[in-house]
Amino acid sequence: MRYDPSFYAGAAVHYRSGRPPYSARLEALLAGELGLDGGGRLLDVGCGPGSLTVRLARLFRDAVGLDPDPAMIIEGRRAAAELGLQNISWIQATAEELPAAAPGPYRLVTFGQSFYWTDEVLVAEAVYDMVEPGGALVLVGHQAEGRAVPPGPGPPRIPHDEIRELVLKYLGSTSRAGQGSAPVQALSLEDALAGSRFGAPRVIFAPGIPDRVQDIDGVLSNYFSMSFAAPHLFGDRAGEFAGELRALLSGRSPAGLFWDWPGDTKVLVARK
Ligand SMILES: C[S@@+](CC[C@H](N)C(=O)[O-])C[C@H]1O[C@@H](n2cnc3c(N)ncnc32)[C@H](O)[C@@H]1O
């Protein structure tokens, strides 16, 4: 689908506090799977606020975070500065502008919940030519469906079904993204990769963070960080939505705390 700069308008400032991190075992999994040794280069496409970039940069000599949204890049730079990481450069571009926007070679090219935003097979083909022999394209995301739910830390789970009903009340029944509707995934991620020269990926799961607890502000940020509930979509009713969501959450947890288990981390590894 064609990139629309308003997909995540107003969302970037909510992203780092609102979104649950990927598995604590992700770095070890990728290092073991791909034999990462601190050399080579990483390209993280659709990097957002650097969620993956800053975690993986230490496994490489240099890293590049690429995203078309300038507010996301600002957040990525901030995250890297907070961690004292100096080997990351940030590029504002879409995946469809590869390879010119961030020429290879790379040992690893990652997409954290961002591949489905792109022209998948075309982008995978471009990446194939940018990856060094033995390197890989890796897709990372959360998956709760079909995964064993771990014991929780105590607070109730985030009432996602009720919150989605509330979003629907404000924004209508068609899931929104930017000025239009959310992308419809014609192919599964696995099939999109299988349709490229990479071929079918290896699918690996790493245990999700089992005990993350969010307060009401955190849950609100989680929703405002999503393209389908980004602040701009509510226009001048954003405050009203936030107020209703706060009231809903207070009613579900008197302590104002919620268990945020996003599922396990699903990693698709496509080797060259
Ligand atoms: C769900 S966020 C993922 C952020 C981060 N990678 C993570 O794992 O949390 C999706 C990101 O993809 C970016 N994006 C959207 N369309 C894109 C495109 N055509 N090329 C590259 N990135 C894109 C958005 O700006 C957004 O930052």
Side-chain angles (χ1 to χ4, degrees):
M1 82 186 285
R2 195 178 171 77
Y3 178 67
D4 170 347
S6 66
F7 280 152
Y8 284 90
V13 292
H14 293 284
Y15 207 102
R16 287 200 291 147
S17 59
R19 293 284 188 115
Y22 299 119
S23 172
R25 301 221 196 123
L26 182 64
E27 291 88 335
L29 183 157
L30 290 175
E33 186 73 14
L34 301 170
L36 304 175
D37 58 4
R41 298 170 73 217
L42 164 75
L43 172 63
D44 184 27
V45 183
C47 63
S51 332
L52 276 178
T53 336
V54 299
R55 286 186 56 176
L56 301 182
R58 287 192 183 88
L59 301 173
F60 298 87
R61 187 184 70 245
D62 292 308
V64 177
L66 178 141
D67 200 286
D69 186 325
M72 290 288 189
I73 299 275
I74 287 171
E75 290 298 318
R77 283 188 198 281
R78 188 171 290 152
E82 284 169 13
L83 293 166
L85 294 167
Q86 294 182 339
N87 66 337
I88 306 177
S89 41
W90 303 92
I91 295 175
Q92 188 194 337
T94 63
E96 290 76 7
E97 292 172 86
L98 294 171
Y106 294 96
R107 188 162 292 177
L108 174 62
V109 178
T110 48
F111 294 74
Q113 298 175 78
S114 55
F115 193 57
Y116 63 91
W117 281 112
T118 74
D119 193 339
E120 294 153 326
V121 178
L122 183 135
V123 166
E125 284 298 327
V127 167
Y128 191 87
D129 290 325
M130 298 167 67
V131 169
E132 57 192 42
L137 182 163
V138 163
L139 309 185
V140 181
H142 302 289
Q143 183 174 313
E145 199 187 325
R147 305 303 300 170
V149 182
R157 287 186 79 172
I158 298 172
H160 287 297
D161 290 346
E162 284 181 275
I163 302 176
R164 288 206 187 92
E165 282 296 317
L166 185 63
V167 172
L168 201 135
K169 185 178 112 181
Y170 277 79
L171 301 181
S173 55
T174 305
S175 194
R176 306 268 296 274
Q179 305 308 304
S181 49
V184 180
Q185 229 181 305
L187 291 175
S188 70
L189 298 175
E190 285 89 335
D191 286 346
L193 288 174
S196 77
R197 278 173 288 163
F198 279 107
R202 187 164 133 72
V203 182
I204 309 168
F205 285 96
I209 310 273
D211 55 0
R212 177 175 153 99
V213 172
Q214 275 283 38
D215 61 14
I216 288 178
D217 282 339
V219 176
L220 187 58
S221 279
N222 180 263
Y223 276 83
F224 276 155
S225 78
M226 306 277 191
S227 56
F228 69 85
H232 76 99
L233 294 172
F234 296 92
D236 58 11
R237 297 184 74 204
E240 197 186 324
F241 167 74
E244 261 202 79
L245 180 50
R246 284 181 195 286
L248 186 163
L249 293 172
S250 300
R252 296 296 168 272
S253 168
L257 296 175
F258 295 89
W259 179 30
D260 184 8
W261 182 71
D264 290 329
T265 298
K266 183 178 184 183
V267 182
L268 303 186
V269 180
R271 297 293 287 263
K272 177 166 174 177

